[in-house]
Amino acid sequence: MNRNEECWCGSGKKYKKCHLPIEEKMEQYRQKGYIVPPRSLLKAPEMIEGMKKSAEVNTKVLDYVQEHIRPGISTQMIDEWVNKVTYENNAIPAPLNYMGYPKSVCTSINDQVCHGIPSEDVILKEGDIINVDVSTILDGYFSDASRMFVIGEATDNAKRLVEVAKECLEEGLKAVKPWDTLGAVGEAIQKHAEENGYSVVRAFGGHGIGNEFHEDPFVAHVGRKGQGMLMVPGMTFTIEPMINEGVFDCYVDKKNGWEAYTADGGLSAQWEHMILVTETGYEIIAH
Ligand code: MF3
Ligand code: CO
């Protein structure tokens, strides 16, 4: 596109004053052999605003769960809260009917790694650890974040896993820098988990997000600096490491095709944020 035309991103600025410098820099990296994102992964300012509004609802829903979760309730109850608060805010729960997923939220408890399906039969009891993963669509824009909850008093082991999993997310976030690659994020997470004697799940990862729930890139939570896609200002993706007490291997329940469990029955913990890569680092969009 012409340097003096309005930038494709809709900022209203001239291309040369907006995305041209970024795209020239990306081209230099491409020539050096880096994997660079296509233009479609660089979000226009209007899209970023839309995702932030979606995330406001997502955060409200997670806050509601945080205030009400307690021993004795079923995970089905969490599903009803999420469904109610989301629709009250004129939004749609993204998981509902997503590729056949039957509920409005994922509730993954103890040895469940992710995609736990809420049920009347799963009653929270003292000592459980549970991930509640909330995703919202508002005006066509997706947001996605998850938190861990420790139900009542849990073992030191369980509490430490939940804490280290949170630190792993924080280490991953610190590694988000424009013009580094995603491998640096995976490396930071893997290092912190393994230093603490834990393992990092390989079979699931973070993902680009925007007008779709799951976009490129796949965000691995293991890796090495220099590997993977270049992080460029304007990209939005999730970081959501699943950290296991024992082995990293998982299996998926054949009865429903969703619920993932640790292969050895050990505990698993996960925290998820959705972020925007900025000129200087990152901004948290959903938490
Ligand atoms: N945050 C989860 C993910 O990105 C949400 C999955 S919803 C489901 O995988 F419908 F796919 F289960
Ligand atoms: Co996600």
Side-chain angles (χ1 to χ4, degrees):
M1 92 180 283
N2 184 297
R3 310 169 48 80
N4 288 311
E5 274 178 76
E6 248 186 47
C7 189
W8 56 264
C9 80
S11 63
K13 292 188 218 159
K14 286 188 175 163
Y15 181 48
K16 67 180 180 192
K17 294 264 180 199
C18 191
H19 273 89
L20 178 62
I22 286 176
E23 290 183 359
E24 281 175 346
K25 201 162 170 182
M26 276 177 23
E27 178 55 22
Q28 286 168 10
Y29 276 91
R30 199 186 59 76
Q31 284 174 14
K32 282 190 264 175
Y34 284 83
I35 305 164
V36 301
R39 189 185 264 178
S40 61
L41 298 187
L42 307 184
K43 267 64 179 187
E46 195 190 326
M47 291 186 67
I48 292 164
E49 277 319 299
M51 284 185 261
K52 285 182 178 173
K53 292 217 175 72
S54 173
E56 277 176 32
V57 176
N58 205 71
T59 301
K60 262 195 205 177
V61 174
L62 272 166
D63 288 346
Y64 187 95
V65 171
Q66 186 157 341
E67 279 162 33
H68 293 83
I69 197 165
R70 62 188 181 275
I73 63 144
S74 68
T75 52
Q76 174 60 27
M77 181 61 58
I78 299 172
D79 190 68
E80 285 163 25
W81 295 339
V82 169
N83 190 278
K84 177 182 75 120
V85 177
T86 305
Y87 283 111
E88 277 172 4
N89 285 277
N90 306 312
I92 299 166
L96 190 58
N97 303 318
Y98 174 75
M99 294 173 72
Y101 187 79
K103 299 282 175 172
S104 297
V105 63
C106 298
T107 52
S108 305
I109 186 166
N110 298 331
D111 64 332
Q112 281 182 332
V113 173
C114 63
H115 302 163
I117 301 174
S119 162
E120 293 285 6
D121 301 332
V122 180
I123 309 294
L124 300 187
K125 57 179 197 308
E126 189 93 10
D128 284 340
I129 61 168
I130 183 173
N131 172 277
V132 179
D133 191 337
V134 174
S135 317
T136 300
I137 315 171
L138 182 71
D139 296 331
Y141 295 106
F142 286 78
S143 53
D144 187 2
S146 78
R147 300 178 192 166
M148 289 299 295
F149 301 103
V150 177
I151 307 302
E153 206 39 61
T155 62
D156 287 343
N157 256 353
K159 285 192 284 193
R160 195 174 75 91
L161 176 67
V162 169
E163 220 27 65
V164 171
K166 186 167 199 184
E167 291 164 7
C168 284
L169 170 57
E170 285 158 3
E171 290 302 311
L173 289 170
K174 275 193 255 168
V176 177
K177 294 192 183 90
W179 315 109
D180 274 358
T181 72
L182 281 170
V185 175
E187 179 171 313
I189 293 167
Q190 184 176 10
K191 179 165 176 285
H192 191 70
E194 291 178 355
E195 274 174 4
N196 281 279
Y198 296 137
S199 68
V200 181
V201 170
R202 271 59 165 176
F204 302 94
H207 50 91
I209 180 166
N211 284 320
E212 286 178 75
F213 199 166
H214 297 109
E215 301 177 352
D216 279 345
F218 175 79
V219 179
H221 301 119
V222 296
R224 290 287 169 268
K225 286 190 185 96
Q227 294 175 338
M229 191 182 276
L230 197 68
M231 292 181 274
V232 174
M235 289 172 75
T236 50
F237 54 83
T238 71
I239 304 177
E240 47 181 310
M242 285 141 273
I243 308 299
N244 294 356
E245 198 179 27
V247 298
F248 62 71
D249 310 76
C250 310
Y251 69 91
V252 172
D253 188 340
K254 286 200 183 66
K255 287 201 298 292
N256 53 51
W258 282 104
E259 294 181 299
Y261 290 83
T262 58
D264 59 3
L267 295 173
S268 186
Q270 176 184 29
W271 295 80
E272 175 178 20
H273 286 182
M274 168 184 168
I275 61 129
L276 164 71
V277 180
T278 64
E279 303 275 353
T280 52
Y282 66 91
E283 188 182 335
I284 295 171
I285 306 286
H287 58 92

